[in-house]
Amino acid sequence: MSSDSLRPKYSKILLKLSGEALAGEHGYGIDPKVIHGIADEVREVVELGVQVALVIGGGNIFRGLAASSAGMDRASADYMGMLATVMNSLALQDALEKVGVITRVQSAIEMREIAEPYIRRRAVRHLEKGRVVIFAAGTGNPYFTTDTAASLRAMEIGAEVILKATKVDGVFNADPVKDASAVKFDRLSYLDVLQRGLQVMDATATSLCMDNQLPILVFNLTHPGNIKKAVMGEKIGTLVMGGQS
């Protein structure tokens, strides 16, 4: 085996987790077994010398869009969703530090007692020192998703790729849970995603990545070891980048 095959493909990544991923089989709240499993996988990647930043959704606790459609003011609902992401971020910070990974939470909404304010240069410095940085509270603005926050923060810190962790093996032409004949794409262009309306990231996040040529790798989080495989460049999931699919 060559030394190149033992070397990570990426040296700085942003891992995007959905809030639902933390809920495990329960569908709501935080499953300790799941969150500790994620922490172990992130630790393995950090031990390779890779700089790791994270953005976590809040859908396991509160979904702003769902509350808005039920009649709540959209801005208020989105701010509540941002607070849910802070709760998830603190839970993951605790799990990571229990396995020996020094972690900082930076919040786009200031709450100094529990998290640092988001400061780009400070985040970059933490990463250089081998700390994991979790970006909480989205962009700090209503009407923007945590997908958009992930794209924005990834570009601000100079990440080489967004690793979008999901519950399926990549991007399919139909819902693989409902349609057994659904076909997985190995590679897609940003325009494919936008024109076909594929469920990768929302249109704002995808456009932001396209404008800045930031690749997105969509893969299955439920298979142990997949985060490390993605970082090592193994062929898993679906890669979204420029050019033709």
Side-chain angles (χ1 to χ4, degrees):
M1 188 179 285
S2 71
S3 60
D4 282 346
S5 64
L6 299 173
R7 204 173 292 154
K9 180 177 180 180
Y10 306 106
S11 60
K12 185 186 290 189
I13 65 165
L14 188 138
L15 177 62
K16 169 63 170 67
L17 300 171
S18 70
E20 288 90 340
L22 303 188
E25 298 299 316
H26 305 302
Y28 181 83
I30 298 166
D31 184 331
K33 184 179 176 184
V34 170
I35 204 165
H36 289 119
I38 292 170
D40 279 330
E41 291 203 44
V42 171
R43 176 181 52 80
E44 288 183 4
V45 172
V46 171
E47 287 173 350
L48 295 171
V50 177
Q51 296 181 25
V52 181
L54 289 110
V55 169
I56 314 172
N60 56 320
I61 298 171
F62 185 85
R63 294 196 69 86
L65 204 55
S68 172
S69 64
M72 181 179 279
D73 174 71
R74 173 66 189 272
S76 296
D78 281 355
Y79 280 122
M80 291 176 70
M82 289 178 219
L83 296 179
T85 73
V86 176
M87 294 171 71
N88 283 338
S89 298
L90 293 174
L92 187 55
Q93 179 185 39
D94 178 73
L96 283 164
E97 294 196 331
K98 277 187 168 62
V99 295
V101 179
I102 300 172
T103 307
R104 296 288 184 269
V105 175
Q106 289 199 344
S107 172
I109 297 174
E110 199 165 302
M111 41 184 84
R112 290 177 182 271
E113 287 78 9
I114 58 173
E116 295 180 4
Y118 172 66
I119 299 171
R120 185 182 69 87
R121 287 179 180 273
R122 183 181 288 178
V124 170
R125 187 72 181 120
H126 285 321
L127 292 168
E128 289 171 350
K129 289 183 175 180
R131 299 166 183 158
V132 167
V133 180
I134 305 174
F135 297 119
T139 65
N141 304 103
Y143 300 97
F144 290 95
T145 66
T146 49
D147 279 348
T148 302
S151 302
L152 180 63
R153 297 291 183 246
M155 284 176 290
E156 287 183 295
I157 64 170
E160 296 164 345
V161 67
I162 293 177
L163 301 183
K164 173 80 185 282
T166 68
K167 292 182 177 180
V168 292
D169 291 330
V171 183
F172 291 76
N173 63 347
D175 186 341
V177 177
K178 298 175 183 174
D179 185 352
S181 64
V183 178
K184 182 174 84 76
F185 300 104
D186 291 327
R187 182 169 166 163
L188 289 163
S189 71
Y190 304 108
L191 283 175
D192 286 333
V193 172
L194 292 168
Q195 289 170 352
R196 298 185 192 186
L198 298 170
Q199 299 300 308
V200 176
M201 298 175 98
D202 65 69
T204 306
T206 304
S207 298
L208 209 51
C209 291
M210 180 171 68
D211 289 345
N212 294 274
Q213 293 299 302
L214 179 66
I216 308 162
L217 180 64
V218 184
F219 69 100
N220 194 333
L221 180 68
T222 64
H223 294 171
N226 264 4
I227 298 175
K228 184 176 180 181
K229 287 179 181 176
V231 169
M232 296 302 290
E234 293 188 32
K235 291 193 179 303
I236 63 167
T238 301
L239 184 64
V240 180
M241 59 190 302
Q244 297 299 310
S245 60

